Amino acid sequence: MTKPKVYVIGVGMTKFVKPGLVAWDYPDMIKESVTEALNDCGLKYADIQQATVSYLFGGTCCGQRDRTPNNDKHVQVIKDTYGLIDAPLTCQMFGNAGREHMAKYGTKREHFAKIAYKNHLHSVNNPKSQFQKEYSLDQVLNARKIYDFVGLLECSPTSDGSAAVVLCSERYLQQNPRLRAQAVEIVGMELGTDEPSVFAEKSNIKMVGFDCIKRISERLYKNTGLTPNDVQAIELHDCFAPNELITYEAIGLCPIGKAGELVDRNDNTYGGKWVINPSGGLISKGHPIGATGVAQVVELSNQLRGRCGKRQVPNCKVGMQHNIGIGGAGVVALYRMADSTNMKSKM
């Protein structure tokens, strides 16, 4: 049975900012991003049949009973390997994954710094990025340490912001042919959760969700008939620089243990095989957690539609998304234009 197709026909987002920098509240952020998304496709609120909202700090059913923290076993992995210290917990999780990668595969500390340097450089041309400042590699390497080798410029910031997309069915697109030229097809999307290896193997790489992402990425490629070689632009969850490097391997861009070589070849930026986080990623674009995943879709849709100006990925035909949450959830997706004849860069 053929699966029904779903399309992104409108996108919008606010500029991501440091909390407190703008005098707004959640309704203001949402109004701005949703209005932009509706205007993008020429629709009104009354045209929308269903709305879904992501959020943070409002736990599901949290008023019913006291709950065991969803990351208590993750923390135990830290305790059993590198030891838990007084430092930001998530930075310890992903920093320890980076330490493990260096110990197992010979990855260098500079490889992680190069990723952060790249993402800050990409964001210079993104007017909606929280940061738009270029840093030298030395500045990244010598930034104030947050945990072990991980410096401030290799960490995603605390951010406020909102992002929105308008989705439609194949039937709706057929009934509204004016939207076909800008419609972005969700070619495939796979969801997953933690594997038993998250806790069983006492590995920090496994603990942050490597096996989940590897499994759902393989399923995505199988179900869509596409491979990483078909992709030009990737937006992935670089909450900390080590996670971006590890994800290169999990989504199949290179063999396990070879991500450092991919970085050294510059195959993660303009002129290389892929442009990874052209938006600046979470590290530089910002990371308002409830909006992060949708903002990735906004960026990929704009890249496929050729609307990204100086940060436009050349000949962008297929975009890939990767997003995670500790405790644990993962999503990977592939996108392309509904009408490939309309993929002309507007630089």
Side-chain angles (χ1 to χ4, degrees):
M1 182 177 177
T2 303
K3 292 183 179 180
K5 292 184 178 182
V6 178
Y7 300 90
V8 180
I9 55 172
V11 297
M13 64 180 285
T14 67
K15 180 178 175 64
F16 287 178
V17 299
K18 180 179 179 179
L21 189 64
V22 177
W24 60 3
D25 200 354
Y26 296 110
D28 305 306
M29 304 176 200
I30 293 169
K31 181 179 179 180
E32 182 177 333
S33 63
V34 171
T35 299
E36 184 175 298
L38 290 172
N39 289 342
D40 184 33
C41 55
L43 297 180
K44 299 178 181 179
Y45 275 95
D47 297 315
I48 304 301
Q49 296 173 310
Q50 178 178 330
T52 302
V53 182
S54 61
Y55 59 95
L56 183 64
F57 298 136
T60 302
C61 303
C62 61
Q64 294 187 13
R65 60 184 292 270
D66 294 335
R67 298 180 299 164
T68 300
N70 65 350
N71 63 1
D72 58 335
K73 292 185 178 180
H74 298 75
V75 173
Q76 191 61 48
V77 174
I78 298 176
K79 292 178 178 178
D80 293 342
T81 53
Y82 291 97
L84 187 66
I85 68 169
D86 185 17
L89 182 60
T90 51
C91 193
Q92 291 186 67
M93 289 179 174
F94 292 99
N96 286 339
R99 294 169 73 183
E100 182 180 324
H101 203 277
M102 289 190 280
K104 284 184 175 179
Y105 307 116
T107 307
K108 304 299 183 185
R109 187 266 173 276
E110 289 76 14
H111 288 127
F112 305 111
K114 286 180 178 179
I115 286 172
Y117 162 79
K118 164 192 68 77
N119 289 347
H120 283 288
L121 182 62
H122 288 179
S123 74
V124 169
N125 293 315
N126 184 358
K128 295 196 174 181
S129 176
Q130 182 167 345
F131 304 117
Q132 288 182 266
K133 181 178 179 180
E134 179 181 352
Y135 293 93
S136 69
L137 184 60
D138 282 344
Q139 285 177 305
V140 176
L141 286 166
N142 296 318
R144 176 169 61 88
K145 296 298 177 281
I146 304 301
Y147 170 70
D148 200 73
F149 70 89
V150 184
L152 179 65
L153 297 177
E154 295 163 284
C155 304
S156 57
T158 303
S159 312
D160 273 350
S162 173
V165 297
V166 179
L167 307 178
C168 79
S169 65
E170 175 75 26
R171 180 181 178 183
Y172 184 85
L173 198 59
Q174 290 172 347
Q175 294 171 343
N176 296 269
R178 67 177 180 82
L179 292 169
R180 190 161 195 90
Q182 69 188 62
V184 173
E185 178 189 354
I186 305 174
V187 185
M189 181 177 289
E190 298 291 339
L191 307 176
T193 190
D194 283 340
E195 299 282 318
S197 59
V198 167
F199 312 120
E201 299 184 21
K202 300 300 180 184
S203 161
N204 287 273
I205 293 175
K206 304 284 189 178
M207 181 265 285
V208 297
F210 182 91
D211 285 351
C212 165
I213 297 303
K214 185 174 186 295
R215 175 172 55 86
I216 62 176
S217 297
E218 291 170 349
R219 194 165 70 215
L220 177 68
Y221 300 138
K222 179 181 178 181
N223 289 342
T224 62
L226 298 175
T227 73
N229 291 330
D230 296 304
V231 175
Q232 291 77 43
I234 302 172
E235 283 284 307
L236 63 77
H237 192 100
D238 60 317
C239 49
F240 300 92
N243 195 51
E244 177 163 330
L245 182 140
I246 291 164
T247 300
Y248 294 169
E249 299 171 7
I251 64 176
L253 304 187
C254 63
I256 293 176
K258 299 296 185 180
E261 296 178 15
L262 186 155
V263 172
D264 287 336
R265 293 193 303 268
N266 291 321
D267 272 342
N268 57 358
T269 189
Y270 298 88
K273 189 168 184 179
W274 301 279
V275 180
I276 300 176
N277 285 327
S279 68
L282 283 58
I283 283 176
S284 197
K285 178 186 63 184
H287 187 21
I289 299 175
T292 286
V294 177
Q296 292 176 324
V297 182
V298 172
E299 176 68 17
L300 291 174
S301 296
N302 283 329
Q303 288 288 349
L304 291 164
R305 291 167 63 182
R307 306 202 304 173
C308 290
K310 291 182 178 179
R311 74 179 189 281
Q312 179 64 47
V313 176
N315 196 33
C316 189
K317 296 181 179 179
V318 178
M320 183 174 187
Q321 177 188 17
H322 157 272
N323 203 11
I324 63 163
I326 291 291
V331 58
V332 289
L334 291 167
Y335 303 85
R336 66 185 172 202
M337 294 299 294
D339 185 351
S340 60
T341 62
N342 285 279
M343 293 187 297
K344 296 180 180 178
S345 178
K346 301 173 184 177
M347 297 183 68

